[in-house]
Amino acid sequence: MISIQDIQNARKAIAPYIYKTPLLFSNSLSALTGAEVYLKLENLQETGSFKVRGAFNKMLHVDGARVIAASMGNHAQAVAFAAHALGKSATIVMPKTVSLVKEEATRAYHADVVLVGEGFSDALEYALLQKDHTFVHPFDDDEVIAGQGTIGIEVLEELKDVDAVFAAVGGGGLIAGIATAVKALSSRTAVIGVQAESAPSAFLSLREKKIIERPPLSTIADGIAVGRPGEKTFEIMSSLVDDILLVGEDSIANAILLFLERKKLVVEGAGAVTLAALMDAKEKFRNKRVVLVLSGGNVDFTIIDRIVRKGLSMRGRIGVLEVTIDDAAGSLHVVTGVIASNRANILDVMHYRLAANIPFGKAKVIITAEVRGKSDLEKIHADLMEKGYDVKMRG
């Protein structure tokens, strides 16, 4: 296992290449959760994630000029950026299913990108076979873990009497490094890991006290969609991490939206899980001083509208009404008038006449509307029912 001295050495080594990211108090998130909330903004780090810390520390220990890595995104960009800065050549192996945005971002950092297989395991297997390169593991490596641990030192230098630090968990490199630093400098501070329910391998491994492999399902937090923790990271997590919490997709989407609305911060799903976990478990951490590590900000903007809409829907800010109306002039006008009178904004209207379950002379209208809250949607529903319409509210 690495030591606090390893992390302190890493901090000195990588200091010329990375940002010391801000640690900010959030009044609005503190009011929402009942905790005293501070945000460690690794989403503002070079390449948009904490990964450059470990990448630089690893490559500063590499003698060869050629490195290779397998990654779905953030690790790829970090290795590519660090290699170019240190005068090394980088080959990044990505699955063919990787998003075009992440592939192009990695190429922009001067890496040679190779697309192999349908998933991360295929890319990893190919990368490990390239013996003429030095392999840079995304998490299960002492130098990588020590580099990520520099976050823990920075947090406790700036903030005293921290009750808990929340960090995302994929393979475990981030939380293993942070836990090593935090427990050495402040043993009373709890280290809380967070995983998506769709990718719970570390959660299951800690519960069963052995490494459990669980192929991840699709998740907004794709940056932590890892099927098993590392051997080195699991050893550290087993002894130093206090708990791992699971969060669902709705909670993650809501957290992304909260960061956009309340803090004007772009935070990817893997970075937003820490707020999602605090929101879900806020009674446990009420009146506690907590730090949320926002591990990255590399949101795929081709899907951001879906993420935002999911978050709005969960909070009752977007609702869907299914209304059966007379198939006659003016009928839809009455319905939209009721919606307008409740100060709701119509986002979408779909009109059906020919489905088998719609009576002759009737039409079904599905209306998506933006409202101020669930109570407003319920008021619209009640007003339409009062006027004699057959109305159903959808999820």
Side-chain angles (χ1 to χ4, degrees), residues 257-311:
L257 185 58
L258 279 171
F259 280 127
L260 285 169
E261 284 188 327
R262 300 298 180 94
K263 306 307 299 179
K264 308 302 181 284
L265 289 171
V266 176
V267 183
E268 65 186 89
V273 294
T274 51
L275 176 58
L278 179 59
M279 292 287 291
D280 286 353
K282 56 188 175 183
E283 290 304 320
K284 181 178 179 180
F285 295 96
R286 187 171 296 279
N287 299 319
K288 302 292 187 181
R289 176 175 288 182
V290 302
V291 175
L292 307 182
V293 179
L294 312 190
S295 57
N298 292 318
V299 175
D300 186 345
F301 282 95
T302 61
I303 63 168
I304 191 65
D305 62 325
R306 281 177 276 167
I307 294 172
V308 170
R309 181 164 290 207
K310 188 174 183 65

Side-chain angles (χ1 to χ4, degrees), residues 133-172:
H133 290 66
T134 299
F135 179 68
V136 181
H137 200 285
F139 49 84
D140 208 26
D141 179 278
D142 287 342
E143 280 82 26
V144 170
I145 295 168
Q148 321 305 25
T150 59
I151 295 171
I153 293 179
E154 290 180 12
V155 166
L156 293 182
E157 276 187 350
E158 290 191 47
L159 190 63
K160 306 302 179 186
D161 301 319
V162 177
D163 292 304
V165 176
F166 286 65
V169 183

Side-chain angles (χ1 to χ4, degrees), residues 161-187:
D161 301 319
V162 177
D163 292 304
V165 176
F166 286 65
V169 183
L174 174 63
I175 199 165
I178 288 175
T180 302
V182 166
K183 291 299 185 180
L185 299 174
S186 175
S187 59

Side-chain angles (χ1 to χ4, degrees), residues 102-124:
K102 292 180 179 178
E103 179 188 343
E104 291 305 310
T106 304
R107 293 185 191 278
Y109 289 116
H110 310 281
D112 178 20
V113 176
V114 178
L115 302 180
V116 175
E118 298 302 314
F120 174 72
S121 59
D122 297 326
L124 179 61

Side-chain angles (χ1 to χ4, degrees), residues 29-286:
L29 297 181
S30 297
L32 275 174
T33 62
E36 184 182 334
V37 180
Y38 292 80
L39 308 175
K40 180 60 171 169
L41 303 183
E42 285 296 294
N43 57 314
L44 303 183
Q45 185 58 264
E46 290 276 13
T47 73
S49 96
F50 74 95
K51 288 283 191 178
V52 290
R53 294 175 182 264
F56 268 110
N57 195 48
K58 175 63 178 178
M59 275 184 276
L60 287 166
H61 289 81
V62 169
D63 293 329
R66 304 171 72 185
V67 297
I68 192 167
S71 173
M72 294 286 282
N74 286 343
H75 180 61
Q77 294 175 57
V79 171
F81 175 77
H84 183 69
L86 296 174
K88 300 178 186 292
S89 65
T91 298
I92 307 298
V93 187
M94 306 178 108
K96 295 175 183 177
T97 52
V98 72
S99 74
L100 181 61
V101 172
K102 292 180 179 178
E103 179 188 343
E104 291 305 310
T106 304
R107 293 185 191 278
Y109 289 116
H110 310 281
D112 178 20
V113 176
V114 178
L115 302 180
V116 175
E118 298 302 314
F120 174 72
S121 59
D122 297 326
L124 179 61
E125 182 180 358
Y126 177 89
L128 289 170
L129 291 173
Q130 311 311 305
K131 302 303 182 182
D132 55 342
H133 290 66
T134 299
F135 179 68
V136 181
H137 200 285
F139 49 84
D140 208 26
D141 179 278
D142 287 342
E143 280 82 26
V144 170
I145 295 168
Q148 321 305 25
T150 59
I151 295 171
I153 293 179
E154 290 180 12
V155 166
L156 293 182
E157 276 187 350
E158 290 191 47
L159 190 63
K160 306 302 179 186
D161 301 319
V162 177
D163 292 304
V165 176
F166 286 65
V169 183
L174 174 63
I175 199 165
I178 288 175
T180 302
V182 166
K183 291 299 185 180
L185 299 174
S186 175
S187 59
R188 64 170 290 273
T189 300
V191 179
I192 309 297
V194 187
Q195 286 204 297
E197 290 177 352
S198 299
S201 58
F203 169 84
L204 296 173
S205 297
L206 257 65
R207 187 181 68 183
E208 299 298 323
K209 296 182 172 54
K210 63 179 181 179
I211 292 178
I212 301 294
E213 186 164 353
R214 177 67 61 86
L217 304 176
S218 178
T219 173
I220 299 170
D222 59 338
I224 53 172
V226 177
R228 74 191 303 272
E231 301 284 343
K232 295 175 184 290
T233 59
F234 177 69
E235 181 183 5
I236 295 171
M237 285 189 289
S238 297
S239 59
L240 298 179
V241 171
D242 294 276
D243 199 5
I244 294 183
L245 306 177
L246 296 181
V247 291
E249 298 301 295
D250 286 348
S251 294
I252 301 170
N254 183 48
I256 293 172
L257 185 58
L258 279 171
F259 280 127
L260 285 169
E261 284 188 327
R262 300 298 180 94
K263 306 307 299 179
K264 308 302 181 284
L265 289 171
V266 176
V267 183
E268 65 186 89
V273 294
T274 51
L275 176 58
L278 179 59
M279 292 287 291
D280 286 353
K282 56 188 175 183
E283 290 304 320
K284 181 178 179 180
F285 295 96
R286 187 171 296 279

Side-chain angles (χ1 to χ4, degrees), residues 304-384:
I304 191 65
D305 62 325
R306 281 177 276 167
I307 294 172
V308 170
R309 181 164 290 207
K310 188 174 183 65
L312 288 171
S313 178
M314 179 195 170
R315 286 156 56 180
R317 296 270 301 280
I318 288 179
V320 180
L321 294 164
E322 182 181 302
V323 189
T324 301
I325 63 174
D326 292 331
D327 190 12
S331 295
L332 182 58
H333 177 70
V334 176
V335 173
T336 57
V338 170
I339 293 171
S341 68
N342 282 279
R343 297 173 60 194
N345 179 40
I346 295 175
L347 301 177
D348 186 50
V349 177
M350 291 187 289
H351 208 144
Y352 298 94
R353 290 184 177 86
L354 302 180
N357 63 340
I358 300 174
F360 182 76
K362 298 287 185 178
K364 185 172 290 184
V365 180
I366 299 174
I367 300 171
T368 304
E370 182 181 15
V371 294
R372 289 166 295 176
K374 291 182 180 178
S375 61
D376 284 7
L377 190 64
E378 290 167 356
K379 178 67 163 50
I380 293 170
H381 179 269
D383 288 352
L384 289 170

